[in-house]
Amino acid sequence: MKASLLFLSLPIAAALAFAPNQSSQDPQPDDPNKPTESTSIISMATLQVKDLQGSISSISAQTVVEIRMFDGMKDHIRVELLYENGDYSLIDAQAIHMLRTGGASRDVKLIRTQPTRMRFPRLP
């Protein structure tokens, strides 16, 4: 009787030994201190910005290379614009409109990131 129990327990022990460890397969929780970025390329012609005072200004996308939007701002939007000639703009706004029509469009890199990943003052 004991031999039959031994033969029955060997396949179970082998299956448990070769089973993957569940703790190593589970995704690890994101470290809140680790900065994350999501990137996409969009085709746009004009960027309209409504500043904190309510006035609207239009920026042609022909010279814009990269737009960085920052998470974590409570009552406004903070955006960095990087231009092809190396110029830089930091904009605090109520609203931003990315228009695809109304002129020559250009592919612009759009990055959503944390304020700690701001490019200023480190420029290329």
Side-chain angles (χ1 to χ4, degrees):
M1 181 86 176
K2 289 186 181 186
S4 64
L5 288 177
L6 178 64
F7 288 124
L8 183 61
S9 63
L10 283 177
I12 294 172
L16 290 175
F18 289 111
N21 187 357
Q22 289 291 2
S23 64
S24 66
Q25 288 186 352
D26 289 339
Q28 299 299 319
D30 292 334
D31 182 10
N33 297 327
K34 180 182 175 187
T36 58
E37 291 186 348
S38 62
T39 304
S40 64
I41 305 292
I42 61 167
S43 179
M44 69 179 223
T46 305
L47 179 71
Q48 284 187 343
V49 178
K50 184 176 183 181
D51 65 14
L52 297 177
Q53 289 75 31
S55 62
I56 297 175
S57 59
S58 295
I59 301 168
S60 173
Q62 290 304 307
T63 59
V64 177
V65 176
E66 184 177 285
I67 300 172
R68 298 176 70 85
M69 299 176 61
F70 299 105
D71 290 333
M73 301 297 156
K74 300 281 186 210
D75 56 350
H76 64 279
I77 302 167
R78 177 165 282 173
V79 175
E80 281 183 321
L81 300 177
L82 299 172
Y83 301 93
E84 63 184 15
N85 64 356
D87 287 348
Y88 170 90
S89 295
L90 178 66
I91 300 170
D92 288 326
Q94 291 179 19
I96 294 178
H97 307 280
M98 295 177 194
L99 306 176
R100 296 182 204 183
T101 59
S105 64
R106 176 183 181 151
D107 289 341
V108 177
K109 187 176 185 180
L110 180 63
I111 301 171
R112 188 172 189 150
T113 187
Q114 301 296 319
T116 57
R117 303 283 295 184
M118 189 179 290
R119 294 275 306 256
F120 183 80
R122 297 177 292 115
L123 295 174

